[in-house]
Amino acid sequence: MAEDAPPEDSKLTRSKRNWAEQGKFLTGHAVSPEAQRLPPGQHLVRDWPVLDLGRQPDVATARWQLKIDGLVERPATLDWAAFQALSQSERTSDIHCVTTWSRYDNRWQGVATHDLLDLVRPKAEAVAVMLHAYDGYTTNLPLADFADPDALLAHHWEGRPLAREHGGPVRLVVPHLYFWKSAKWISRIELLGRDRPGFWEANGYHMRGDPWVEQRYSVE
Ligand SMILES: Nc1nc2c(c(=O)[nH]1)N[C@H]1C(S)=C(S)[C@@H](COP(=O)(O)O)O[C@H]1N2
Ligand SMILES: [Mo]
């Protein structure tokens, strides 16, 4: 499974690092998802922006693989056929990007993360997950958030195969956290006994990233 080093910093990557240092976009208001659909400091968009490190790997399904390892009873490497043979789910959810755009009502099809976890059986010591991607990106989140009933490994959006620029053939979607946790072009899910920072988390962004309480940046 070829995982390349992350590409050189783009202008956007440099800006996002500065925003974390400045605490940009923070409103200081917490909102509950029951009271208000749009999290604090967000605005609604109708298009679907593309955000990544600047390299969009072309991963044909014929060479696509997903490895699940670390603190699991039954590590697995799934090829496309094995992945498609798993129980398939559909979810409709909102996207909240830390750069302040939100997009409502995205219909996804894929494999629910809890179905994948049933397959590999996390060990009792597993508390966090590191996601690795074909572009060299990494991001971490607590295991409980990864296992959320609304989270899935999506291969279709609005009834069509997920486009390459949005992470096709398969990306993670964890709708209750900021969208940087939703790794595009996912290649590996590593279960950890202790949470550790991925790419943005090592660059000033939050270890969890709950949009409702504006966990945009790491607190020191
Ligand atoms: N592999 C990978 N996944 C990634 C990223 C990335 O650079 N590489 N960027 C993240 C960020 S910061 C955001 S906001 C969303 C953007 O997804 P989109 O381009 O489909 O809107 O993908 C996330 N997942
Ligand atoms: Mo983002």
Side-chain angles (χ1 to χ4, degrees):
M1 198 165 315
E3 280 185 36
D4 307 311
E8 291 296 300
D9 278 6
S10 67
K11 199 165 159 241
L12 178 63
T13 303
R14 287 196 299 273
S15 298
K16 287 172 84 172
R17 222 182 248 124
N18 291 335
W19 295 342
E21 278 166 25
Q22 297 159 12
K24 203 172 156 88
F25 309 129
L26 289 171
T27 69
H29 298 296
V31 170
S32 83
E34 294 74 32
Q36 188 184 304
R37 186 169 179 184
L38 195 66
Q42 296 295 110
H43 69 277
L44 208 51
V45 299
R46 305 233 168 257
D47 60 345
W48 185 6
V50 172
L51 277 93
D52 49 53
L53 299 177
R55 184 166 58 200
Q56 300 176 341
D58 189 358
V59 189
T61 54
R63 81 169 179 102
W64 180 87
Q65 283 194 332
L66 177 64
K67 185 171 167 180
I68 308 121
D69 65 353
L71 294 176
V72 293
E73 301 290 350
R74 299 181 43 185
T77 300
L78 305 173
D79 64 10
W80 190 253
F83 183 67
Q84 294 298 326
L86 297 177
S87 166
Q88 302 289 314
S89 298
E90 187 171 309
R91 301 275 186 278
T92 298
S93 58
D94 300 345
I95 296 171
H96 306 297
C97 173
V98 73
T99 64
T100 75
W101 59 270
S102 292
R103 188 182 194 285
Y104 288 167
D105 294 324
N106 297 274
R107 188 164 59 89
W108 309 100
Q109 287 160 284
V111 174
T113 53
H114 62 79
D115 286 329
L116 201 68
L117 291 171
D118 285 349
L119 186 77
V120 297
R121 292 203 228 117
K123 293 187 178 172
E125 315 89 83
V127 298
V129 173
M130 183 67 77
L131 307 161
H132 303 257
Y134 282 95
D135 61 342
Y137 184 77
T138 53
T139 187
N140 61 291
L141 72 172
L143 177 58
D145 288 308
F146 177 78
D148 189 274
D150 284 333
L152 80 172
L153 289 149
H155 51 70
H156 273 70
W157 175 81
E158 299 298 331
R160 295 187 295 271
L162 184 63
R164 173 176 164 187
E165 66 264 30
H166 289 299
V170 179
R171 78 173 301 155
L172 180 65
V173 177
V174 181
H176 72 288
L177 299 180
Y178 284 121
F179 210 33
W180 89 79
K181 301 290 180 179
S182 293
K184 309 202 275 189
W185 313 291
I186 193 164
S187 62
R188 179 178 170 208
I189 300 165
E190 183 188 7
L191 279 81
L192 307 173
R194 202 169 73 176
D195 203 5
R196 68 168 202 260
F199 178 81
W200 283 118
E201 295 81 7
N203 281 282
Y205 286 77
H206 202 279
M207 292 294 272
R208 177 152 187 257
D210 180 346
W212 303 100
V213 292
E214 283 195 298
Q215 290 175 340
R216 296 178 190 275
Y217 311 116
S218 59
V219 274
E220 281 163 46

